[in-house]
Amino acid sequence: MRLLHTSAGDHWRDMLRRPDGTVSDRIRSLQVEQAFWNQQMASGPPKPDSYAAAVWKALRQLTASSAVSSVLEIGPGWGNYTFLLGRAFACLGCVDISPDNLTFLAEKARQESISLVTFCSAWETAETGRWDLVFGYNCLYRVTEPELFLLKMNRTARKLCVIGMNRPPELPWLPALEEAGLAIHYTRQGCRELLNVLTSLGLKGKLVTVPNHRSFRYSDREALLDRAGQFLLEPCPREKLWKILEPFHRQEADGSLVCEYAFLSQLLVWAPVNFEEETNL
């Protein structure tokens, strides 16, 4: 497969890299990514993320006038949006690289009498046919070929393409770790960078920004420090780490620590273009 690279796509790829030039194991290895989701499902699928409600409301407003009846969801995970989509539209499909995710979603869809077609594949190589709406949210963290990803969406959708992400950073204290001189890794790219890639491909999209909020709760100080340690590329004394993190959290009566985070969710939206038809005009 010949890959199309643009300068905007190269910038996206640069942002995937850690300060030491490497990429995460979940990007590098399909097996690591599948094992991650297998572990998630083994411990019981989490509840839908609280911030999904605001994203869903924005998506419904976008599709209200589009006469959408079929929707294909990319990277549904454990189903933040899957069953909302299944109840709102007549036909639903899901593409995911995790067979565990798809098995869980298919069983839950059966229980809710939702018709669901699943495709166990990377999006870039999935053979799904065409759908009115192609949608995905927070499914881009492994994408190294954003040009191919967006062009595949454009070819697959009949009426509307919507791809979204939470605007980085994913936690409000991550920049404070960097300001303290610590080497860390986290998702740095968002929909603004993705819009630049889309524009470089000759497609016109718009960004829809949704104010959002979520709470992060940790059972105690040690649990918070363990979570922060997952972002570090080198060891850091826990007392130093705590001094950075403490101002971002309040302690509850039960000893737990809570971080309230106001952030932006963003949706990149465009109407698909048939380049072949344009060429023939």
Side-chain angles (χ1 to χ4, degrees), residues 3-14 16 123-124 140 142-153 163 189-190 193-198 200-201 203 268 270:
L3 299 177
L4 170 65
H5 282 186
T6 66
S7 59
D10 289 340
H11 181 59
W12 175 280
R13 282 178 280 275
D14 288 341
L16 287 176
W123 166 242
E124 293 83 350
L140 293 145
R142 297 186 71 248
V143 172
T144 58
E145 302 293 337
E147 300 97 337
L148 179 60
F149 190 99
L150 295 176
L151 287 173
K152 179 69 176 286
M153 287 186 68
I163 189 76
Q189 69 277 21
E193 288 76 22
L194 205 60
L195 174 60
N196 290 337
V197 178
L198 189 75
S200 74
L201 297 171
L203 293 164
L268 174 58
W270 76 97

Side-chain angles (χ1 to χ4, degrees), residues 45-113:
K47 296 179 180 178
D49 292 309
S50 59
Y51 66 79
V55 176
W56 173 246
K57 181 179 179 181
L59 179 64
R60 290 297 284 142
Q61 291 172 346
L62 289 169
T63 57
S65 60
S66 300
V68 168
S69 63
S70 66
V71 55
L72 180 66
E73 184 181 12
I74 306 169
W78 50 72
N80 265 345
Y81 306 97
T82 306
F83 305 103
L84 295 169
L85 292 166
R87 289 188 285 269
F89 302 105
C91 301
L92 173 64
C94 288
V95 180
D96 202 290
I97 61 170
S98 167
D100 297 286
N101 287 357
L102 293 175
T103 298
F104 165 75
L105 295 176
E107 176 58 23
K108 188 172 179 182
R110 185 190 65 78
Q111 294 171 1
E112 297 193 17
S113 300

Side-chain angles (χ1 to χ4, degrees), residues 58-279:
L59 179 64
R60 290 297 284 142
Q61 291 172 346
L62 289 169
T63 57
S65 60
S66 300
V68 168
S69 63
S70 66
V71 55
L72 180 66
E73 184 181 12
I74 306 169
W78 50 72
N80 265 345
Y81 306 97
T82 306
F83 305 103
L84 295 169
L85 292 166
R87 289 188 285 269
F89 302 105
C91 301
L92 173 64
C94 288
V95 180
D96 202 290
I97 61 170
S98 167
D100 297 286
N101 287 357
L102 293 175
T103 298
F104 165 75
L105 295 176
E107 176 58 23
K108 188 172 179 182
R110 185 190 65 78
Q111 294 171 1
E112 297 193 17
S113 300
I114 292 173
S115 177
L116 173 64
V117 180
T118 62
F119 305 89
C120 191
S121 170
W123 166 242
E124 293 83 350
T125 56
E127 297 181 3
T128 64
R130 302 194 69 197
W131 300 71
D132 291 343
L133 166 67
V134 177
F135 166 75
Y137 198 86
N138 275 354
C139 60
L140 293 145
Y141 55 89
R142 297 186 71 248
V143 172
T144 58
E145 302 293 337
E147 300 97 337
L148 179 60
F149 190 99
L150 295 176
L151 287 173
K152 179 69 176 286
M153 287 186 68
N154 186 74
R155 288 195 303 271
T156 304
R158 295 190 189 96
K159 297 180 179 179
L160 193 64
C161 298
V162 183
I163 189 76
M165 300 177 70
N166 291 338
R167 187 169 171 179
E170 58 228 68
L171 288 159
W173 39 263
L174 288 171
L177 297 183
E178 283 191 304
E179 291 167 7
L182 300 177
I184 65 173
H185 65 94
Y186 64 93
T187 301
R188 300 170 187 272
Q189 69 277 21
C191 277
R192 289 182 297 182
E193 288 76 22
L194 205 60
L195 174 60
N196 290 337
V197 178
L198 189 75
T199 302
S200 74
L201 297 171
L203 293 164
K204 295 181 180 180
K206 68 175 182 178
L207 285 182
V208 175
T209 299
V210 182
N212 219 326
H213 175 273
R214 68 186 305 186
S215 297
F216 297 92
R217 181 181 295 270
Y218 306 92
S219 58
D220 55 25
R221 171 174 162 170
E222 293 306 306
L224 170 59
L225 293 174
D226 288 344
R227 174 59 174 150
Q230 295 174 2
F231 295 93
L232 299 178
L233 290 173
E234 55 193 25
C236 174
R238 290 174 80 83
E239 191 59 38
K240 176 181 178 180
L241 200 55
W242 170 246
K243 288 181 180 179
I244 300 169
L245 298 173
E246 184 178 13
F248 293 90
H249 297 81
R250 71 170 188 270
Q251 189 166 26
E252 301 287 85
D254 63 358
S256 63
L257 296 164
V258 176
C259 174
E260 303 288 353
Y261 187 23
F263 64 98
L264 298 177
S265 296
Q266 291 189 307
L267 297 169
L268 174 58
V269 184
W270 76 97
V273 173
N274 188 323
F275 288 113
E276 293 182 1
E277 286 185 1
E278 284 200 349
T279 302

